[in-house]
């Protein structure tokens, strides 16, 4: 009898932890959606029943704050970063892993070593570089430095290890060029790796804040994070419109997560292996 | 022989061809900044012009109390928030792994969800929720848990608590997933053997689960330490530029402000960033040694 009681007692505790944790995890999301329907005062007061101002807030977000432009800007920066990033990093990972040489291994070691250098230490000289070339306040300034990622090269290299070299040898015998092997044989069978890398790079760029904050100077170039952050510093804050922008900024990442959970998590956990 | 040699040269050339584009980007946006910082670090900007000050920037740092406090805040966040988060993540992971039979997948998704928010977006959300007359204070006042509202954003102590709570909300599920992967790789036969030997659940946890999970825990500590050392988005947005009275100022935020907001002293900012690199390097080295000893496969 006492065994059963003790057993169910811990059962209750377990579910209590799960439910409380779950509510805490989800509540900000729930409240963010409610917030899109409230007037600014009610957002601040934290009313948790939907209000009538969704369409008004939407109108403000799209007209006063140019939400579509910010969204488009974020997309115009994130997609090229992913496109070029997957090619450049994928090719580099392939080169490092399948064509090993002493000097390239040394270079790879240096790459890994510089992985510990925090972004804040790199962005200041980089700012000078871009200002020298007159590239401040351009989207190129945000795209170019994000294409190469040591972390992504490392992640992809770990995955390329699993690709059997025998298949490459067989393709060589068949007369396929090395580049053809990469494009037509290795890449298609490593789709999941590429997907994980792409998702990771997309999210990193979509959410990027520090470097865009330094380089973006005008409203017309703002990305969603920069737009949100400058709204917070405005004299009067349109909280309802802000909540809509917050929702829209989270949406693509949320959709990626819910539709491609496996690759999403693999990308985030990439370095665990 | 000759033919084979030229074939290897061909493969080697192809290897260089593969890594070349990445190397170009790396040289421009990593090596060049590192090298040019050696110049900036010795100079001091006044307006548009700059002068050579040698190690003067480092001497200035030794007198700069706000910078020292900022580094202290980074450490404080690290030493309070990371253990708290690791503890919570561990509990959730163990529960999801062996505590329940149903709805595992659902709860894993729910706990992971905070990670899909951008740092800016969740900082905005939390800043609104934690206003003096905001939702959290309202709920706690109505439930009579508080007599007067807590200054989550404008009391020096509570503002730090706010950063810690926010970080914990954002990252616990992320670390939990690491731990779940680690737990699933532990062979269940070990537990069966322990069961046969009459080891209690608690003993099994401390003697089997925890030691086997240690490399993963260390790994997530390394990642979190690195992240906390770079803390920027949260103090800039959630607690409004390191406020109140610099109580949540972090090193990265202070460097950014010295270079772009308060002054445009790129030399001083570079010198301070050297200190951050040094600290990150020391942490990485120590943790690498710890991981190296225990984490070999």
């Amino acid at each position: 009898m006492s065994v059963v009681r003790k057993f169910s007692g811990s059962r209750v505790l377990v579910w209590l932890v799960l439910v409380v944790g779950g509510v805490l995890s989800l509540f900000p999301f729930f409240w963010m959606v409610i917030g899109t329907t409230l007037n600014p005062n009610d957002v601040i007061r934290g009313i948790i029943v939907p209000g009538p101002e969704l369409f008004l807030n939407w109108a403000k977000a799209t007209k006063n704050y140019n939400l579509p432009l910010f969204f488009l800007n974020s997309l115009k920066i994130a997609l090229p970063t992913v496109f070029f990033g997957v090619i450049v990093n994928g090719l580099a990972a392939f080169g490092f892993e399948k064509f090993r040489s002493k000097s390239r291994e040394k270079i790879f070691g240096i790459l890994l070593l510089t992985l510990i250098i925090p972004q804040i230490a790199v962005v200041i000289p980089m700012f000078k570089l871009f200002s020298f070339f007159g590239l401040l306040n351009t989207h190129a300034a945000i795209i170019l430095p994000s294409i190469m990622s040591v972390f992504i090269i490392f992640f992809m290299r770990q995955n390329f290890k699993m690709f059997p070299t025998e298949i490459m040898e067989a393709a060589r015998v068949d007369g396929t060029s090395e580049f053809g092997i990469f494009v037509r044989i290795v890449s298609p069978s490593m789709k999941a790796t590429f997907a994980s890398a792409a998702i990771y790079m997309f999210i990193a760029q979509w959410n990027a804040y520090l470097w865009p904050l330094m380089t973006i100077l005008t409203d017309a170039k703002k990305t969603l994070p920069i737009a949100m952050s400058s709204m917070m510093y405005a004299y009067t804050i349109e909280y309802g419109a802000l909540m809509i922008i917050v929702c829209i900024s989270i949406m693509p990442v949320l959709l990626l997560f819910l539709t491609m959970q496996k690759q999403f998590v693999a990308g985030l956990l990439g370095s665990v292996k | 022989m000759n033919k084979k040699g030229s074939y290897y040269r061909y493969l080697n050339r192809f290897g260089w061809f593969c890594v070349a584009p990445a190397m170009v980007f790396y040289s421009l946006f990593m090596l060049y900044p590192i090298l040019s910082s050696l110049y900036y670090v010795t100079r001091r900007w006044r307006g548009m012009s700059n002068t050579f000050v040698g190690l003067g920037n480092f001497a200035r740092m030794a007198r700069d109390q706000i910078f020292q406090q900022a580094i202290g805040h980074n450490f404080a966040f690290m030493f309070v928030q990371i253990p708290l988060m690791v503890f919570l993540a561990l509990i959730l992971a163990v529960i999801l792994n062996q505590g329940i039979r149903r709805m595992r997948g659902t709860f894993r998704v729910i706990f992971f969800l905070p990670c899909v928010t951008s740092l800016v977006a969740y900082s905005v959300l939390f800043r609104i929720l934690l206003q003096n007359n905001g939702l959290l204070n309202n709920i706690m006042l109505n439930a009579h848990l508080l007599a007067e509202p807590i200054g989550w954003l404008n009391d020096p102590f509570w503002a730090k608590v706010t950063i810690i709570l926010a970080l914990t909300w954002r990252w616990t599920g992320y670390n939990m997933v690491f731990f779940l992967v680690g737990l699933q790789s532990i062979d269940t036969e070990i537990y069966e053997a322990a069961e046969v030997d009459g080891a209690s659940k608690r003993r099994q946890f401390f003697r089997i689960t925890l030691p086997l999970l240690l490399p993963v825990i260390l790994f997530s500590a390394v990642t979190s330490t690195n992240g906390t050392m770079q803390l920027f988005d949260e103090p800039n947005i959630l607690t409004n530029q390191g406020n109140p009275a610099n109580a949540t100022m972090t090193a990265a935020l202070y460097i950014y402000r010295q270079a772009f907001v308060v002054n445009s002293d790129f030399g001083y900012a570079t010198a301070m960033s050297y200190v951050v690199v040094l600290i990150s390097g020391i942490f990485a080295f120590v943790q690498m040694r710890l991981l190296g000893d225990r984490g070999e496969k």
Side-chain angles (χ1 to χ4, degrees), chain B residues 86 89-91 93-94 97 175-176 178-186 191 205 207-220 291 294:
Chain B
V86 166
L90 201 55
I91 290 181
V94 170
N97 193 47
N175 286 281
M176 178 201 77
F178 277 86
F179 297 162
L180 264 178
V181 173
L183 285 173
Q184 275 152 10
S185 68
I186 298 176
Y191 291 107
F205 176 79
R207 289 301 170 89
I208 301 171
T209 312
L210 212 50
L212 287 175
L213 211 55
L214 206 58
V216 187
I217 294 176
L218 266 172
F219 179 83
S220 82
L291 265 179
R294 302 188 178 264

Side-chain angles (χ1 to χ4, degrees), chain A residues 90-167:
Chain A
L91 203 56
F94 184 62
F96 279 123
E97 178 55 29
K98 295 299 180 196
F99 302 88
R100 295 192 196 186
S101 80
K102 266 197 186 128
S103 38
R104 276 193 295 277
E105 285 299 304
K106 268 189 199 130
I107 292 178
F108 192 71
I110 295 173
L111 293 191
L112 289 186
L113 205 63
T114 50
L115 208 50
I116 59 155
I117 296 182
Q119 198 194 7
I120 189 73
V122 182
V123 284
I124 290 168
M126 211 158 77
F127 178 84
K128 286 284 182 196
L129 180 71
F130 278 92
S131 103
F132 178 77
F133 285 107
L135 282 171
L136 291 180
N137 203 33
T138 63
H139 287 161
I142 308 176
I143 297 168
L144 288 172
S146 321
I147 289 174
M148 201 247 18
S149 155
V150 175
F151 173 73
I152 295 293
I153 294 179
F154 176 72
F155 167 72
M156 295 183 94
R157 182 179 177 171
Q158 292 298 97
N159 283 280
F160 284 147
K161 278 191 170 68
M162 287 179 292
F163 190 87
T165 318
E166 295 77 32
I167 296 182

Side-chain angles (χ1 to χ4, degrees), chain A residues 31-203:
Chain A
W31 183 75
M32 164 183 93
V33 175
I34 300 288
T36 61
T37 67
L38 301 173
N39 73 48
N41 285 334
D42 286 346
V43 173
I44 281 295
R45 290 205 332 240
I47 304 292
I48 47 170
V49 276
E53 302 209 350
L54 175 63
F55 293 105
L56 188 64
N57 287 335
W58 178 262
K60 280 179 191 163
T62 50
K63 297 209 179 76
N64 302 7
Y65 292 101
N66 226 337
L67 168 63
L69 178 72
F70 302 146
F71 188 87
L72 218 61
N73 283 344
S74 278
L75 217 55
K76 261 165 44 189
I77 290 170
L79 292 181
T81 306
V82 171
F83 178 76
F84 292 113
V86 163
I87 296 173
V88 167
N89 296 320
L91 203 56
F94 184 62
F96 279 123
E97 178 55 29
K98 295 299 180 196
F99 302 88
R100 295 192 196 186
S101 80
K102 266 197 186 128
S103 38
R104 276 193 295 277
E105 285 299 304
K106 268 189 199 130
I107 292 178
F108 192 71
I110 295 173
L111 293 191
L112 289 186
L113 205 63
T114 50
L115 208 50
I116 59 155
I117 296 182
Q119 198 194 7
I120 189 73
V122 182
V123 284
I124 290 168
M126 211 158 77
F127 178 84
K128 286 284 182 196
L129 180 71
F130 278 92
S131 103
F132 178 77
F133 285 107
L135 282 171
L136 291 180
N137 203 33
T138 63
H139 287 161
I142 308 176
I143 297 168
L144 288 172
S146 321
I147 289 174
M148 201 247 18
S149 155
V150 175
F151 173 73
I152 295 293
I153 294 179
F154 176 72
F155 167 72
M156 295 183 94
R157 182 179 177 171
Q158 292 298 97
N159 283 280
F160 284 147
K161 278 191 170 68
M162 287 179 292
F163 190 87
T165 318
E166 295 77 32
I167 296 182
M168 288 171 62
E169 294 290 354
R172 268 175 206 144
V173 173
D174 288 348
T176 317
S177 71
E178 299 301 324
F179 192 66
I181 292 175
F182 177 70
V183 175
R184 286 199 301 267
I185 295 167
V186 178
S187 299
S189 63
M190 293 261 128
K191 260 189 217 138
T193 302
F194 279 93
S196 296
I199 291 172
Y200 183 92
M201 293 190 79
F202 178 84
I203 295 171

Side-chain angles (χ1 to χ4, degrees), chain B residues 109-127:
Chain B
V109 169
I110 291 174
F111 293 140
F112 189 78
L113 221 46
C115 290
V116 307
T117 60
S118 74
L119 301 184
V120 172
Y122 99 93
S123 296
V124 168
L125 273 180
F126 273 62
R127 176 147 155 209

Side-chain angles (χ1 to χ4, degrees), chain B residues 255-275:
Chain B
I255 293 170
Y256 164 77
R257 291 179 64 77
Q258 285 298 316
F260 292 96
V261 185
V262 191
N263 298 314
S264 344
D265 196 338
F266 292 95
Y268 188 43
T270 305
M272 288 190 287
S273 75
Y274 273 35
V275 173

